[in-house]
Amino acid sequence: RFAEGALSCGWTRRARGGWTWRDDAEVPLVEQQESYEIGIGPVDAPHRLYTSAQPEFDLDATVTMDLQTRFGGAAVWVRQQGSFSKSAALRLGTLPPFS
């Protein structure tokens, strides 16, 4: 979270099907495209759901404040959208309540 109230999330992309680390080189995605779902709230019924084509996601201060007011304390999570299925959700943290 930034001082001005914006929220920034990031995670490390992992290639499904490419579990060996090859001399610190980037491993191919093994998917048709890179795509992620970022959710706020329960994974099975999120309060808000966003998508990103990069392993990062930002919300400006106004949107963050609104989400904190409405859903403060809710989990923030990400999961990869694969060609045929979605990965398990990774909890990135908790949306702090607005104060």
Side-chain angles (χ1 to χ4, degrees), residues 19-51:
W19 301 115
T20 57
W21 192 264
R22 299 182 183 150
D23 301 324
D24 296 327
E26 188 73 9
V27 178
L29 186 60
V30 192
E31 298 287 354
Q32 292 178 350
Q33 65 184 14
E34 189 167 3
S35 182
Y36 303 95
E37 285 186 346
I38 302 92
I40 297 173
V43 175
D44 56 346
H47 304 305
R48 293 289 183 272
L49 192 62
Y50 303 93
T51 59

Side-chain angles (χ1 to χ4, degrees), residues 38-50 67 70-78 89-95:
I38 302 92
I40 297 173
V43 175
D44 56 346
H47 304 305
R48 293 289 183 272
L49 192 62
Y50 303 93
L67 291 171
R70 300 176 81 199
F71 310 115
V76 178
W77 50 267
V78 63
L90 170 68
R91 185 182 175 112
L92 297 173
T94 302
L95 187 66

